Amino acid sequence: MRTTYRFLMYILTLVFISGWAGCKPKPNGFDIRTGDILFRGAADANLSQAIDQVTQTGKATHFSHMGIAEVTPDGIYVLNSEPKHGVFRQPLDSFLHPDGEKSEVVAYRLKAPFRKFIPEAMKRAEQLLGQPYNYTYILPDTGYYCSEFVYTIFAPDSVFKLNPMTFKNPQTGQFDSTWVAHYQKLDIAVPEGKPGCNPNGMAASDKLERLGEVKINNVKATN
């Protein structure tokens, strides 16, 4: 009887340990997958803060940049468009640390009905690599700004939508001084009301689900 009891306790212990190990949460609670959309918080740069200032949709979103993840055998990369590089591919670590500084990056994933569009969208993204940055933020001027790039690769599937752009400070109702200076330099009028997109607005899409903050030391990749 004593031997039988010990054997049963041993089996139950193994079952418990196996079950706990199988349910142990991942460090981030999620894996990065190709097609996940990464939103980066506003940086100290004037233009970055100006983007967040006029596009913020709520206290939970303070994003001024975004890109799309690509998981490869060599690691995780982010395809995105920046003023310095235009449309390019960069390692996740570099995306998390622009100019060597850490920035909050939050991952979102398309909801299940829309994930079927990811493979073709990634093909379009590859084809746009090397395109310049669109400094006017006017569609369809040459080049792509960050959210325009992501919008464009999903445009044939109508995943995201355009909205009238605003460059006015929501507190004052006046054009933000950074934007006034930006368009004076370009010698064009501020394109208030023209169709466009921005990271905060796209993060609020009902077609996305929020995964959580991305940290280089505890993120896993899944194809």
Side-chain angles (χ1 to χ4, degrees), residues 52 55-62 200:
D52 180 56
T55 65
Q56 188 185 135
T57 58
K59 294 181 179 180
T61 59
H62 285 275
N200 280 325

Side-chain angles (χ1 to χ4, degrees), residues 32-34 71-73 221-223:
I32 290 291
R33 301 177 186 173
T34 291
V71 178
T72 76
T222 301
N223 286 316

Side-chain angles (χ1 to χ4, degrees), residues 48-126:
S48 174
Q49 292 180 340
I51 292 171
D52 180 56
Q53 180 70 38
V54 301
T55 65
Q56 188 185 135
T57 58
K59 294 181 179 180
T61 59
H62 285 275
F63 304 129
S64 64
H65 188 62
M66 62 187 293
I68 189 164
E70 179 185 41
V71 178
T72 76
D74 298 325
I76 304 174
Y77 293 84
V78 183
L79 281 63
N80 64 111
S81 184
E82 292 186 348
K84 291 181 181 179
H85 307 282
V87 182
F88 76 127
R89 176 192 284 110
Q90 68 180 134
L92 175 63
D93 182 54
S94 176
F95 185 83
L96 295 177
H97 299 85
D99 299 320
E101 300 292 330
K102 185 182 183 305
S103 183
E104 181 186 33
V105 173
V106 179
Y108 285 70
R109 180 168 294 158
L110 285 168
K111 293 181 179 178
F114 307 100
R115 292 174 194 162
K116 62 186 177 183
F117 302 128
I118 291 174
E120 289 301 316
M122 295 306 296
K123 291 180 182 178
R124 297 183 195 107
E126 294 279 346

Side-chain angles (χ1 to χ4, degrees), residues 23-46:
C23 297
K24 187 176 181 181
K26 298 166 186 172
N28 249 357
F30 63 93
D31 296 340
I32 290 291
R33 301 177 186 173
T34 291
D36 285 347
I37 300 175
L38 308 184
F39 293 85
R40 195 165 68 198
D44 292 333
N46 287 341

Side-chain angles (χ1 to χ4, degrees), residues 109-182:
R109 180 168 294 158
L110 285 168
K111 293 181 179 178
F114 307 100
R115 292 174 194 162
K116 62 186 177 183
F117 302 128
I118 291 174
E120 289 301 316
M122 295 306 296
K123 291 180 182 178
R124 297 183 195 107
E126 294 279 346
Q127 294 170 354
L128 294 180
L129 291 173
Q131 290 291 312
Y133 190 80
N134 180 2
Y135 284 96
T136 70
Y137 300 94
I138 299 173
L139 304 178
D141 281 4
T142 300
Y144 299 86
Y145 55 90
C146 68
S147 54
E148 178 189 6
F149 167 67
V150 177
Y151 166 81
T152 299
I153 64 176
F154 284 105
D157 306 307
S158 301
V159 172
F160 298 104
K161 62 181 181 179
L162 300 175
N163 291 294
M165 293 190 294
T166 183
F167 298 85
K168 294 181 178 180
N169 185 305
Q171 274 74 48
T172 66
Q174 302 298 314
F175 286 124
D176 187 282
S177 60
T178 301
W179 289 115
V180 172
H182 177 76

